């Protein structure tokens, strides 16, 4: 095996670095391997569910419902990705969603017009994120402790404001932010699409995006390069809080009820989808396309299992297993698409 | 006497089996043949130097010898018997021990605990060392000539001591073959000398030592046998005295002509009387350096030479605002800069390329392009409407890759996969791109091969002469300042003790002032 490689004329190697340009297919597969892997997972799952439940899974109603569920999760996961990219994480997003849900519901029930209540709700989310950012960036509290403290505080505050209960009789206009459709498209999916576009723009086209990735990759390098590191960390946490607040409003709209425990589970689900999508815990690496596909994968999985009548506890177990499998697959080159692709191209090479 | 050297001569007796023999070792990575049928014979009581430029295959070879990677072809013999080396554990069984280049310690444990880490027998206590353990460690420390107590916390020891402790750690095990990867890379001259003496002792007591290094002077002094690798092949094996420095340089270097740039710009004595660009006045920082004053004019290169621990690195980081100084003034273009305000200093045009390349000079996980763009002072063309334009950034990076001869597949390659020399060129490209008014460089060519070293020096010269930048270099490799710097300050124990012009400087003059 090695004898024929060494007998072949030496490839253009200078200084030990392969300077030969890899083929287009090779470089595409290489660059997008995480996304392609999830895409395969999504297709397999979708086909399996469609085959098993042709009457209930592959209907427009189910699709619409999935778009609503996925939209909310995507908004929260994008926020989470900002914080993950910068090298932290935020476990207070679920509590923030609940707090914003209660605040917005109270304002609306109290007669505040929706045009004022929603911005206030978003501001509450942003403030929660900002405080997280101050704690992590300036006071240098570890993200886990800081956001755990914030989680507990926000949950307590939400229950105090809402008397631990639910708030109903919300105005019907709120339904346009998560439950009802914009034209024919589900509003939740549309909002998520807008958020996705803006987030992509910030990460790819603004200097802030470059700095966020760089801080996650090496905080010291970025500081020495003259970037005000703490400010950008605070920005990341603020964006995360803001988007958690938006997710909270969308979820309130979807269930038509304000409740402090509404966002429970989103903290871990948002981290899980981002990690499945290739965002590295520890920071510096990640793409929104991966996050989007991660959200779709989880949504199809849970929807399918719902239709199959699998109980929620077992669903949780399956989600956990999928998370671990996804991360293992993305790290094991032989199991991954890239490994398979290189085997197909040149079986003798490996 | 003559008879004696005859029997001791390492390679004279072919019949005598070597401690470790590797035959026909090959290894390839996608796109690169890292090793191509390499043979290596290591004998007892001999120091074997392994030389080669970066990327020649040295590190792959030592990884295979120590079981970290598996060879694709080839076999090993230990003391004449065929052996299998497939894992670090099996390498250790045959007495092959690696002393890695990086020094890793658990700072909170004592140095004795660190030395023993992983080899404690059964019920060892976490805290103090038992009498047995202590004796064992002290014996190993005595062999390497370290005088510190095993109970000293690791965090209190400096790099030279930690390096000795690291070798002591290797000696605690069965260690017939010691593989040392650049042991003197971060050591100052006297510390390196001490280490080399110790290696000679080890050799004389029968250990076989494989020594990987860039420093030719050490090799000429130390090695009984020299193997030179180039592009994954053995291009020469020499006995002591068979070869001289110039010949080794010639064999190591590739056939491609060296870039003319290295000598294109003469190190003219441009001690211009232009107004100073950077002025440092009475800068002090407790326990690190005191009362430092210096001036750097535009278009000139000023060097600060010092051995490890003399404070030259800390000084340059304090000037850049990366660390805080206590008292004194830093003036750039007649504007006084606040201490410890690196963002402010950069926005005024003073940039630093620190010594800790992976930790503080580049973002290893990101692409070349992003590493280039990581600067607030990037040219306006790449930042229309304050936004990033990936196409323009790519074009910019491609331009620098051409002019600086940066070897990478594309501007989207992760910079962490490149060699140290190429990484340093990207860090310097960022400085060019930012139109820096003053550049501070700490250990500009640490861990970089001979050829890239010359290219880095040429870049620094170009930056000063063509871009009218004020360049300040802090280094512990004195020879690189000669012919490069227009003015050299020598630092010792935190103070500048001598200043000379580039023309009157020579290696010995710097050394005699630098040694404490």
């Amino acid at each position: 095996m090695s004898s024929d490689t060494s007998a072949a004329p030496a490839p253009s190697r200078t200084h030990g670095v392969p300077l030969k340009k890899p083929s287009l297919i090779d470089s595409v597969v290489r660059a997008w391997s995480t996304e392609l892997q999830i895409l395969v997972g999504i297709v397999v799952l979708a086909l399996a569910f469609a085959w098993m439940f042709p009457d209930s899974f592959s209907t427009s109603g189910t699709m619409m419902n999935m778009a609503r569920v996925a939209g909310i999760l995507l908004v929260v996961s994008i926020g989470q990705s900002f914080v993950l990219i910068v090298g932290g994480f935020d476990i207070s997003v679920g509590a923030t969603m609940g707090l914003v849900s209660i605040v917005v519901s109270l304002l609306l029930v109290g007669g505040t017009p929706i045009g004022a209540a929603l911005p206030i709700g978003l501001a509450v989310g942003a403030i929660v994120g900002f405080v997280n950012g101050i704690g992590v960036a300036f006071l240098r509290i570890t993200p886990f402790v800081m956001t755990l403290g914030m989680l507990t505080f926000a949950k307590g505050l939400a229950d105090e404001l809402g008397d631990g209960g639910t708030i109903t009789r919300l105005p019907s206009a709120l339904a346009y932010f998560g439950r009802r459709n914009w034209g024919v498209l589900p509003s939740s999916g549309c909002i998520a699409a807008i958020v996705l576009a803006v987030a992509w723009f910030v990460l790819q086209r603004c200097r802030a995006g470059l700095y966020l990735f760089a801080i996650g990759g090496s905080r010291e390098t970025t500081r020495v390069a003259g970037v005000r590191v703490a400010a950008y960390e605070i920005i990341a946490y603020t964006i995360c809080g803001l988007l958690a607040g938006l997710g909270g409003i969308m979820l309130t709209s979807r269930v038509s009820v304000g409740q402090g425990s509404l966002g429970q589970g989103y903290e871990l689900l948002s981290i899980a989808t981002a990690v499945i999508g290739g965002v590295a815990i520890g920071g510096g690496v990640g793409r929104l396309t991966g996050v989007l596909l991660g959200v779709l994968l989880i949504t199809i999985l849970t929807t399918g299992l719902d239709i199959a009548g699998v109980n929620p506890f077992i669903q949780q177990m399956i989600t956990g297993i999928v998370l671990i499998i996804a991360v293992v697959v993305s790290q094991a080159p032989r199991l991954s698409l890239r490994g398979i692709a290189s085997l197909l191209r040149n079986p003798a090479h490996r | 006497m003559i008879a004696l050297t005859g029997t001791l001569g390492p390679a004279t007796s072919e019949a005598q089996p070597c401690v470790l023999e590797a035959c026909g070792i090959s290894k390839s990575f996608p796109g690169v043949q890292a090793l191509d049928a390499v043979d290596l014979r290591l004998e007892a009581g001999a120091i074997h130097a392994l030389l080669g430029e970066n990327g020649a295959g040295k590190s792959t070879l030592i990884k295979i010898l120590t079981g970290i990677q598996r060879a694709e072809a080839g076999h090993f013999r230990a003391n004449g018997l065929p052996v299998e080396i497939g894992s670090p554990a099996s390498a250790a069984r045959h007495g092959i021990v690696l002393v890695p280049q990086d020094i890793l310690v658990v700072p909170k444990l004592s140095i004795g605990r660190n030395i023993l880490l992983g080899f404690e027998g059964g019920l060892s206590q976490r805290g103090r060392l038992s009498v047995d353990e202590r004796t064992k460690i002290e014996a190993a420390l005595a062999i390497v000539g370290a005088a510190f107590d095993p109970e000293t916390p690791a965090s209190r020891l400096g790099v030279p001591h930690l390096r000795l402790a690291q070798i002591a750690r290797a000696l605690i095990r069965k260690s017939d073959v010691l593989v040392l990867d650049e042991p003197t890379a971060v050591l100052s001259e006297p510390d390196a000398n001490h280490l080399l003496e110790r290696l000679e002792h080890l050799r004389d007591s029968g250990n076989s030592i494989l020594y990987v290094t860039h420093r030719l002077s050490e090799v000429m002094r130390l090695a009984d046998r020299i193997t030179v690798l180039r592009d994954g092949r053995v291009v020469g094996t020499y006995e002591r005295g068979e070869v001289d420095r110039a010949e080794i340089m010639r064999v190591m270097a590739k056939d491609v002509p060296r870039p003319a740039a290295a000598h294109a710009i003469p190190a003219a004595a441009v001690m211009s009387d232009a107004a100073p660009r950077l002025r440092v006045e009475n800068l002090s920082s407790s326990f690190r350096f005191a009362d430092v004053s210096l001036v750097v004019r535009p278009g000139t290169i000023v060097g600060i030479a010092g051995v490890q621990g003399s404070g030259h690195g800390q000084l340059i980081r304090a000037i850049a605002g990366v660390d805080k100084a206590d008292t004194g003034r830093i003036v750039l273009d007649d504007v006084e800069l606040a201490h410890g305000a690196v963002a402010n200093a950069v926005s005024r045009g003073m940039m630093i390329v620190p010594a800790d390349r992976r930790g503080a000079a580049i973002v290893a996980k990101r692409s070349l392009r992003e590493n280039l763009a990581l600067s607030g002072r990037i040219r306006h063309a790449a930042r229309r409407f304050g936004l990033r334009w990936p196409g323009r950034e790519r074009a910019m990076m491609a331009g620098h890759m051409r002019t600086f001869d940066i070897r990478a597949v594309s501007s989207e390659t992760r910079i962490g996969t490149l060699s140290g020399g190429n990484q340093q060129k990207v860090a310097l490209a960022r400085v060019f791109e930012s139109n820096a008014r003053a550049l501070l460089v700490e250990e500009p060519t640490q861990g970089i091969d001979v050829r890239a070293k010359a290219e880095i020096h040429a870049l620094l010269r170009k930056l000063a002469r063509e871009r009218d930048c004020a360049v300040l270099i802090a280094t512990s490799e004195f020879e690189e300042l000669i012919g490069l710097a227009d003015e050299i300050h020598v630092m010792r124990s935190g103070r500048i003790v001598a200043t000379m012009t580039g023309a009157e400087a020579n290696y010995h003059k710097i050394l005699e002032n630098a040694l404490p």
Side-chain angles (χ1 to χ4, degrees):
Chain A
M1 205 167 94
S2 65
S3 60
D4 51 40
T5 51
S6 55
S12 68
R13 55 189 147 83
T14 346
H15 233 58
V17 180
L19 290 178
K20 213 179 82 181
K21 289 256 176 197
S23 73
L24 187 67
I25 299 171
D26 193 71
S27 55
V28 166
V29 170
R30 202 171 266 266
W32 297 92
S33 60
T34 314
E35 278 84 350
L36 289 172
Q37 280 163 27
I38 311 171
L39 210 53
V40 169
I42 289 176
V43 170
V44 169
L45 270 183
L47 289 177
F49 285 130
W51 177 68
M52 285 190 286
F53 315 106
D55 303 330
S56 42
F57 186 79
S58 43
T59 60
S60 64
T62 308
M63 295 292 149
M64 287 297 207
N65 199 40
M66 282 202 287
R68 286 188 199 105
V69 176
I72 298 170
L73 183 56
L74 181 58
V75 167
V76 181
S77 295
I78 289 173
Q80 186 71 258
S81 302
F82 271 88
V83 175
L84 285 169
I85 283 168
V86 86
F89 56 89
D90 186 347
I91 54 170
S92 71
V93 289
T96 309
M97 289 170 77
L99 175 63
V100 172
S101 171
I102 289 286
V103 168
V104 168
S105 304
L106 282 177
L107 287 171
L108 288 174
V109 169
T112 316
I114 197 155
L118 296 192
I120 292 174
L122 293 177
V124 168
I127 290 168
V128 169
F130 182 75
V131 174
N132 277 333
I134 297 275
V136 172
F138 274 133
L139 308 179
R140 305 298 287 150
I141 305 170
T142 57
F144 181 80
V145 173
M146 183 65 215
T147 57
L148 178 67
M150 184 53 84
L151 179 160
T152 317
F153 173 83
K155 202 159 145 21
L157 180 61
D159 285 343
E160 168 66 23
L161 290 175
D163 279 335
T166 56
I167 299 164
T168 50
R169 275 185 297 222
L170 299 173
S172 60
L174 186 66
Y176 284 104
F177 296 91
R179 187 152 58 93
R180 295 183 49 182
N181 287 2
W182 291 359
V184 291
L185 299 171
S187 52
S188 163
C190 296
I191 295 172
I194 296 169
V195 169
L196 185 65
V198 173
W200 177 86
F201 187 81
V202 171
L203 285 181
Q204 298 303 323
R205 286 306 178 93
C206 295
R207 225 176 298 176
L210 174 68
Y211 295 162
L212 293 178
F213 279 113
I215 292 168
S218 168
R219 195 177 196 270
E220 182 64 9
T221 301
T222 318
R223 184 176 82 91
V224 169
V227 175
R228 291 176 205 276
V229 174
Y232 285 95
E233 282 177 329
I234 292 173
I235 288 175
Y237 278 93
T238 308
I239 290 174
C240 181
L242 177 79
L243 292 182
L246 179 57
I249 292 173
M250 290 160 73
L251 194 54
T252 309
S253 160
R254 197 173 115 73
V255 299
S256 310
V257 162
Q259 197 182 342
S261 60
L262 214 53
Q264 229 167 38
Y266 272 86
E267 54 282 84
L268 298 182
L269 210 50
S270 63
I271 295 176
T273 50
V275 169
I276 288 174
V279 181
I281 297 228
V285 177
R287 262 193 306 247
L288 292 176
T289 43
V291 178
L292 171 66
L293 291 173
V295 167
L296 292 180
L297 180 75
I298 290 289
T299 310
I300 290 178
L301 184 69
T302 49
T303 312
L305 293 174
D306 263 337
I307 291 172
V310 177
N311 85 42
F313 304 126
I314 296 180
Q315 281 191 25
Q316 251 183 0
M317 291 159 61
I318 294 176
T319 312
I321 293 169
V322 167
L323 169 68
I324 292 165
I325 290 176
V327 172
V328 169
V329 167
S330 70
Q331 283 170 358
R334 260 176 193 284
L335 281 173
S336 71
L337 265 174
R338 211 164 106 188
I340 294 165
S342 81
L343 271 179
L344 288 177
R345 254 197 328 279
N346 184 3
H349 190 68
R350 286 190 172 219
Chain B
M1 189 64 199
I2 296 161
L4 199 69
T5 48
T7 50
L8 279 182
T12 44
S13 47
E14 280 297 324
Q16 182 199 341
C18 0
V19 190
L20 182 71
E21 191 177 359
C23 307
I25 303 296
S26 292
K27 172 87 182 171
S28 67
F29 298 109
V32 199
Q33 184 76 28
L35 290 177
D36 191 356
V38 167
D39 297 331
L40 191 71
R41 289 165 55 87
L42 301 177
E43 271 132 15
I47 295 181
H48 196 130
L50 184 61
L51 296 177
E53 295 194 321
N54 282 354
K58 301 187 303 275
S59 22
T60 312
L61 182 58
I62 62 175
K63 276 183 190 149
I64 287 173
L65 284 179
T66 53
I68 297 168
Q69 287 179 351
R70 287 192 79 115
E72 283 160 359
H75 60 274
F76 299 98
R77 273 202 294 272
N79 299 315
L81 304 168
V83 293
E84 181 82 0
I85 298 176
S87 67
S90 65
R93 259 201 311 284
H94 299 298
I96 307 162
V97 182
L98 172 69
V99 179
Q101 189 177 354
D102 299 319
I103 297 173
L104 301 171
V105 291
V106 186
K108 285 196 178 137
L109 294 181
S110 71
I111 192 63
R113 274 272 159 260
N114 269 293
I115 289 174
L116 223 49
L117 202 63
F119 312 121
E120 302 91 344
L123 300 166
S124 121
Q125 292 165 317
R126 240 188 88 249
R128 295 187 69 80
L129 300 160
S130 71
V131 178
D132 275 4
E133 290 173 335
R134 204 184 159 88
T135 335
K136 211 162 136 191
I137 294 167
E138 275 174 344
L141 284 176
I143 297 175
V144 298
F148 47 84
D149 188 273
E151 296 284 1
T152 321
S155 54
R156 270 207 241 138
L157 294 173
V159 173
H161 284 149
L162 290 175
R163 179 66 81 196
L164 292 177
Q166 200 188 19
I167 296 173
R169 174 178 158 85
L171 292 177
I172 282 201
R173 292 183 267 173
K174 174 176 183 279
S175 50
D176 301 336
V177 180
L178 275 175
V179 180
L180 294 132
D181 190 3
E182 298 263 11
T184 55
V186 287
L187 296 188
S188 66
E189 216 74 24
D191 290 325
N193 275 333
H194 178 72
L195 182 72
L196 298 182
E197 272 166 30
R198 285 295 138 187
L199 291 182
E200 284 170 330
H201 276 276
L202 280 173
R203 181 228 350 238
D204 296 342
S205 57
N207 289 69
S208 170
I209 296 174
L210 180 66
Y211 187 98
V212 179
T213 188
H214 284 312
R215 297 194 179 180
L216 283 183
S217 51
E218 286 174 4
V219 172
M220 300 315 292
R221 174 183 144 187
L222 210 60
D224 300 304
R225 197 168 219 216
I226 300 168
T227 292
V228 184
L229 288 181
R230 192 175 75 205
D231 288 337
R233 294 204 179 104
V234 175
V235 289
T237 300
Y238 310 94
E239 303 299 328
R240 176 192 282 280
E242 245 179 43
V243 67
D244 62 355
R245 206 186 155 100
E247 171 69 7
I248 293 180
M249 291 274 281
R250 195 189 63 73
V251 176
M252 266 172 73
K254 292 188 206 346
D255 311 327
V256 279
R258 284 170 180 279
H263 298 288
I265 308 151
V270 257
M271 285 315 294
S272 65
D273 30 274
R277 176 70 55 77
L278 172 66
R279 226 166 54 227
V280 176
E281 292 169 6
N282 307 98
L283 200 65
S284 297
S285 178
S286 52
F287 305 118
R288 298 188 292 175
F289 52 85
D291 209 24
V292 173
S293 298
L294 54 87
V295 160
V296 191
R297 290 172 211 281
T300 65
I301 299 177
V302 173
I304 305 173
V307 296
Q308 200 85 37
S310 68
H312 60 293
Q314 282 133 336
L315 168 68
I316 209 164
R317 284 200 297 277
I319 297 175
V322 175
D323 297 341
K324 244 184 160 131
D326 296 336
T327 55
R329 278 156 47 89
I330 304 159
V331 183
L332 180 71
D333 288 319
D334 295 322
V335 179
E336 188 172 348
L337 301 177
H339 291 173
V342 61
N344 179 36
V346 170
S347 68
R348 291 196 175 279
M350 182 163 71
M351 304 185 65
I352 180 170
V353 177
D356 178 10
R357 200 168 300 131
R358 276 181 170 267
I362 59 158
V363 185
K365 286 176 182 173
R366 306 305 301 179
S367 67
L368 270 74
R369 164 168 76 92
E370 286 164 297
N371 271 281
L372 176 70
L374 188 59
S375 154
R377 285 176 60 90
I378 205 111
R379 82 174 86 138
H380 285 296
R383 284 274 191 273
R384 221 165 20 142
F385 312 120
L387 298 176
R388 298 174 60 208
W389 302 90
R392 285 160 198 259
E393 286 182 2
R394 265 194 291 273
M396 212 160 77
M397 189 66 234
H400 287 298
M401 284 168 73
R402 267 193 310 277
T403 47
F404 294 173
D405 195 21
I406 297 169
R407 289 148 192 277
V409 175
S410 82
S411 62
E412 303 306 300
T413 310
R414 267 192 308 129
I415 194 171
T417 62
L418 303 189
S419 69
N422 283 320
Q423 291 175 352
Q424 190 75 324
K425 286 185 202 168
V426 176
L428 285 175
R430 190 195 297 155
V431 176
F432 271 85
E433 191 52 57
S434 307
N435 258 326
R437 297 185 59 73
L439 169 67
L440 314 175
V441 206
E442 186 189 354
E443 307 290 353
T445 58
Q446 195 176 79
I448 290 177
D449 68 80
V450 186
R451 178 192 153 94
K453 252 181 193 172
E455 291 173 344
I456 300 282
H457 290 156
L459 282 181
L460 291 172
R461 237 179 243 129
K462 185 170 162 184
L463 190 65
R465 308 287 187 255
E466 291 177 12
R467 301 296 186 92
D468 209 35
C469 182
V471 179
L472 183 63
I473 301 172
T475 181
S476 51
E477 286 180 40
F478 306 151
E479 58 270 33
E480 78 179 341
L481 289 180
I482 294 158
L484 179 68
D486 302 303
E487 188 181 29
I488 297 170
H489 301 287
V490 184
M491 217 165 154
R492 186 172 74 213
S493 310
R495 285 170 188 279
I496 289 182
V497 290
T499 298
M500 54 196 89
T501 64
E504 66 189 14
N506 62 45
Y507 183 79
H508 288 286
K509 209 166 161 186
I510 299 177
L511 189 66
E512 67 189 23
N513 282 303
L515 289 183

